[in-house]
């Protein structure tokens, strides 16, 4: 089924991650090419989400996320709160992974986040320095399932074998990883409720589209270098919050961050068939980007920033009246700056073909969940609909093509607090 070219090898690895389990892992191990660098626990950053300095940059200084991602939405099996022994076993398992694999895209990056439902198991509430409301609908036209599992373990690596082996090992199905013995596992007390998978890499969407993925017309001419099904690059360095800027500054969870994860289905028939390239640039970025031909192909020419300027974010009703549409990036940028002009959200979205359709796992990290909610509610563009040319979903950025299936909120504590924290910031 799969040949030996780079493209077919990549597709094999992506499919293996999506399938998961021991069979997929052994198929990957047979094909694994590079040795995986071992870990050094002494060199680990305090923050679980400190990934930017541990992944490569492109030529413009944009960080490049690892290629493969597994999201394990899991529950603590018992009623009540985990025991100290279970916290110890979880921590020991995670430390074994850290000894086995370098904290990098070549090894393994991971983070463990806890939901509001998890913290409700305890008698006391989270401190006011942590803003972690339950997930909720963020527009009138969405009906997402709310992810209220206790915790979310996200595993990420350029190597399919590494994410699969780490998943098996932490759940107790494997007792050695990268020649390091797993000294404990969490399989006795954690159950995976939902397993989701993602990938991100220039070229993968174009490759996948030719195979026929639900949601992508076969005629879609996705630019060769695009990392996203919608045909553009996202996450330019200048339009991302720094990791310092998303760290909670005070209280028992100082150095933690909050993580909102949505899962979004994409239906790109009209995006690619009804619209031409210029229309797509205008709806993704801004009409000025289209008019001034700022974007070539997937937009890699933009360098380290999307090119959104203050002028493009001012008076969008007038822009809408003139051009008949508003861009996704220009609309969102309006709510994505603090009083000092710093970017607020740090987006780490990856594509997916879980369940056979084109979709997206969209983790956004920020100091407070409310900050995410403000930007996402702003993306509805209710104020811009004052222009008769903008409708709830039509001509309104990319809303016509995306459908939110799930939303979940999590607290990602500092590494020292990651194994079953209490609301007071201690480990049980
Ligand atoms: C299929 C779904 C989506 C795709 C393909 C997509 C793609 C993009 C692209 C290409 C950009 C411009 C480049 C950049 O700055 O990264 C952008 C900007 C942005 N997007 Fe999305 N996006 C999607 C959904 C969302 C959602 C659900 C949110 C939620 C709030 C969001 C928030 C933002 C923000 C905040 C910006 C940056 C604006 C600024 O400059 O401050 N996007 N997106």
């Amino acid at each position: 089924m799969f040949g030996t070219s780079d493209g077919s090898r990549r597709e094999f690895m992506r499919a293996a991650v999506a399938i998961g389990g021991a069979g997929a892992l052994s198929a990957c191990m047979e094909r694994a090419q590079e040795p995986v660098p071992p870990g050094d626990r002494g060199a680990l950053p305090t923050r679980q989400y400190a990934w930017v300095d541990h992944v490569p940059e492109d030529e413009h200084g944009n960080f490049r996320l690892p290629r493969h991602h597994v999201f394990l939405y899991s529950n603590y099996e018992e009623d009540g709160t985990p025991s100290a022994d279970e916290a110890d076993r979880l921590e020991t398992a995670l430390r074994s992974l850290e000894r086995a694999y370098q904290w990098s895209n070549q090894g393994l990056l991971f983070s463990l986040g806890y939901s509001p439902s998890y913290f409700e198991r305890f008698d006391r509430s989270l401190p006011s320095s942590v803003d972690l409301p339950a997930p909720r609908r963020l527009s009138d036209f969405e009906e997402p399932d709310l992810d209220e599992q206790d915790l979310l373990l996200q595993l990420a690596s350029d190597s399919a074998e590494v994410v699969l082996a780490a998943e098996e090992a932490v759940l107790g199905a494997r007792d050695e990883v990268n020649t390091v013995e797993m000294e404990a596992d969490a399989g006795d007390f954690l159950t995976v409720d939902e397993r989701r998978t993602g990938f991100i890499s220039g070229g993968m969407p174009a490759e996948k589209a030719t195979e026929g993925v639900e949601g992508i017309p076969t005629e879609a001419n996705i630019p060769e270098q695009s990392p996203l099904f919608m045909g553009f690059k996202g996450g330019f360095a200048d339009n991302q919050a720094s990791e310092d800027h998303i760290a909670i500054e005070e209280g028992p969870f100082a150095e933690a961050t909050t993580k909102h994860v949505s899962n979004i289905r994409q239906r790109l028939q009209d995006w690619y068939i009804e619209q031409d390239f210029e229309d797509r640039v205008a709806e993704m970025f801004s009409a000025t980007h289209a008019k001034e031909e700022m974007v070539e192909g997937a937009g890699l020419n933009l360098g380290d920033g999307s090119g959104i300027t203050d002028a493009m974010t001012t008076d969008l009703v007038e822009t809408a009246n003139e051009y008949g549409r508003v861009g996704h990036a220009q609309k969102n940028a309006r709510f994505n700056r603090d009083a000092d002009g710093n970017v607020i959200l740090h987006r780490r979205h990856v594509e997916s073909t879980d369940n056979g359709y084109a979709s997206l796992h969209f983790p956004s990290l920020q100091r407070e969940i409310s900050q995410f909610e403000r930007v996402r509610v702003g993306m509805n563009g209710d104020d811009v609909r004052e222009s008769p040319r903008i409708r709830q979903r039509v001509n309104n950025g990319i809303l016509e093509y995306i459908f939110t299936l799930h939303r979940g909120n999590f607290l990602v504590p500092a590494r020292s607090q990651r194994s079953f924290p209490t609301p007071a910031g201690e480990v049980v």
Side-chain angles (χ1 to χ4, degrees):
M1 177 181 167
F2 295 105
T4 50
S5 70
D6 278 359
S8 61
R9 186 175 182 284
R10 271 204 304 266
E11 174 50 17
F12 177 88
M13 294 300 179
R14 190 210 55 73
V17 172
I19 294 163
L25 173 57
S26 68
C28 281
M29 288 172 87
E30 278 166 26
R31 288 182 166 230
Q33 287 180 328
E34 306 278 326
V36 180
D40 171 6
R41 288 214 70 254
L44 291 170
T46 308
R47 298 170 182 161
Q48 292 194 75
Y49 52 92
W51 292 14
V52 170
D53 291 339
H54 304 270
V55 295
E57 288 183 349
D58 68 15
E59 58 184 310
H60 304 290
N62 303 306
F63 68 87
R64 188 178 71 63
L65 282 173
R67 187 170 293 141
H68 300 287
H69 295 252
V70 174
F71 298 84
L72 300 175
Y73 289 79
S74 307
N75 284 315
Y76 172 62
E77 276 199 357
E78 310 292 327
D79 291 336
T81 56
S83 68
D85 174 56
E86 287 161 338
D88 192 45
R89 278 149 70 195
L90 176 59
E91 181 60 24
T92 305
L94 300 177
R95 289 185 186 193
S96 297
L97 291 183
E98 288 164 344
R99 268 194 294 280
Y101 298 121
Q102 186 180 70
W103 185 255
S104 76
N105 58 302
Q106 292 173 299
L108 176 71
L109 295 170
F110 62 91
S111 73
L112 198 50
Y114 292 87
S115 67
S117 316
Y118 165 81
F119 287 109
E120 275 169 20
R121 290 173 173 272
F122 296 84
D123 290 337
R124 61 190 289 175
S125 349
L126 283 165
S128 58
S129 50
V130 174
D131 176 61
L132 187 73
R136 61 186 184 105
R137 295 169 74 192
L138 296 174
S139 74
D140 292 343
F141 49 85
E142 66 176 33
E143 285 293 344
D145 283 340
L146 303 176
D147 285 319
E148 294 182 303
Q149 297 87 348
D150 287 311
L151 54 94
L152 171 60
L153 175 60
Q154 181 178 354
L155 304 163
S157 174
D158 279 348
S159 158
E161 178 207 333
V162 168
V163 284
L164 288 171
E167 172 184 359
E168 295 272 288
V170 86
L171 296 171
R174 205 185 152 73
D175 45 25
E176 190 187 284
V177 275
N178 210 20
T179 73
V180 170
E181 186 201 343
M182 288 297 292
E183 288 175 10
D185 66 75
D188 287 345
F189 47 90
L190 285 189
T191 329
V192 177
D193 179 54
E194 287 257 359
R195 178 183 190 274
R196 302 179 194 156
T197 65
F199 54 88
I200 186 96
S201 156
M204 270 211 199
E207 260 163 49
K208 286 275 349 145
T210 56
E211 287 164 30
V213 177
E214 206 182 315
I216 315 237
T218 40
E219 307 90 312
N221 191 11
I222 302 181
E224 193 48 48
Q225 293 173 307
S226 174
L228 299 176
F229 283 127
M230 293 195 83
F232 298 107
K233 182 190 150 35
F236 295 97
D238 277 2
N239 304 82
Q240 290 278 39
S242 69
E243 287 173 351
D244 282 344
H245 210 70
I246 59 176
I248 293 176
E249 286 182 296
E250 51 184 38
F253 284 103
E255 299 298 321
T257 194
T258 73
K259 177 169 179 173
H260 175 91
V261 191
S262 46
N263 170 223
I264 301 171
R265 185 167 180 170
Q266 302 176 66
R267 289 213 178 99
L268 304 181
Q269 183 73 22
D270 290 349
W271 177 251
Y272 281 112
I273 305 302
E274 266 186 10
Q275 311 227 89
D276 61 19
F277 179 73
E278 200 181 321
D279 297 328
R280 291 197 288 274
V281 170
E283 285 199 343
M284 183 60 85
F285 295 90
S286 78
T288 314
H289 280 70
K291 197 172 64 173
E292 297 182 2
E293 298 182 5
M294 289 168 64
V295 181
E296 290 163 21
L300 273 59
N301 67 301
L302 289 166
D304 62 357
S306 67
I308 295 289
T309 59
D310 288 349
M312 293 175 194
T313 57
T314 319
D315 207 348
L316 289 201
V317 176
E318 199 182 303
T319 304
N321 286 336
E322 187 175 347
Y323 296 105
R325 58 185 70 196
V326 287
H328 167 73
Q330 73 182 147
K331 201 171 27 150
N332 284 356
R334 299 182 305 163
F335 305 94
N336 194 25
R337 301 289 179 276
D338 68 14
D340 300 322
N342 298 308
V343 178
I344 297 171
L345 307 187
H346 183 102
R347 293 163 286 135
R348 290 185 177 171
H349 49 95
V350 294
E351 298 291 36
S352 177
T353 51
D354 284 351
N355 307 309
Y357 47 74
S359 58
L360 195 89
H361 297 295
F362 198 116
S364 172
L365 308 180
Q366 52 282 310
R367 218 166 254 167
E368 299 169 2
I369 290 291
S370 314
Q371 294 175 315
F372 175 81
E373 292 190 342
R374 270 195 295 281
V375 179
R376 180 58 193 84
V377 169
M379 179 171 152
N380 293 332
D382 289 343
D383 54 331
V384 189
R385 281 165 57 207
E386 204 182 294
S387 162
R389 304 186 71 183
I390 307 296
R391 303 223 301 274
Q392 192 175 55
R393 301 187 84 155
V394 177
N395 298 331
N396 195 349
I398 57 175
L399 290 177
E400 193 180 337
Y401 319 97
I402 65 174
F403 303 83
T404 309
L405 305 181
H406 293 271
R407 290 194 181 285
N409 291 335
F410 302 90
L411 177 71
V412 182
R415 197 177 300 272
S416 59
Q417 296 169 306
R418 68 183 166 183
S419 295
F420 293 139
T422 71
E426 290 145 3
V427 171
V428 291

